[in-house]
Amino acid sequence: MVRAHSRTAWQKGVASIFETGRELLAAKAALEHGEWLAMVESELPFGARTAQCLMRIVGDETLSNTKHASLLPPSLGTLYELTKLSAEDFAAMTQGWRDPEDAWREM
């Protein structure tokens, strides 16, 4: 039971990062020029740099591919660094990654 709960909690971290990024993109699109930064500074518990990282992550086609979702770490910094990779480099790097469900079964 602990493993199933831990797996769910782990994946919620990834989902939260993507949900926050999508909400920020939508807010930026809806606000007038110059209002977005003021909104970030007054309404969010993080700054503009973190907001930009979140938006870059959610805008990355490779990371947004649902086939990778279960393999992604719930780490803003790591996900942001992954956005810097080309599609070819990402594929090469993740070639050895295994689905966490398989890893849980082996424990």
Side-chain angles (χ1 to χ4, degrees):
M1 185 62 148
V2 171
R3 285 189 278 177
H5 178 71
S6 296
R7 179 172 167 40
T8 301
W10 179 266
Q11 288 306 308
K12 282 183 182 177
V14 174
S16 293
I17 290 169
F18 277 86
E19 180 180 356
T20 304
R22 285 189 294 272
E23 289 179 8
L24 288 167
L25 284 173
K28 188 168 185 172
L31 294 170
E32 295 292 326
H33 180 74
E35 292 180 344
W36 184 81
L37 185 57
M39 182 274 303
V40 169
E41 291 174 351
S42 67
E43 297 182 29
L44 299 177
F46 48 80
R49 176 77 177 122
T50 298
Q52 291 166 344
C53 289
L54 287 159
M55 293 188 303
R56 182 166 173 170
I57 290 166
V58 79
D60 186 274
E61 291 181 20
T62 303
L63 295 181
S64 295
N65 184 331
T66 56
K67 76 177 187 175
H68 298 131
S70 68
L71 304 174
L72 297 173
S75 165
L76 177 64
T78 302
L79 291 172
Y80 177 73
E81 290 302 316
L82 290 174
T83 67
K84 297 176 182 179
L85 296 175
S86 68
E88 296 79 22
D89 288 341
F90 182 87
M93 186 187 81
T94 59
Q95 193 170 29
W97 286 7
R98 296 178 18 212
D99 188 312
E101 189 66 32
D102 295 336
W104 285 113
R105 285 190 203 113
E106 293 173 9
M107 295 178 113

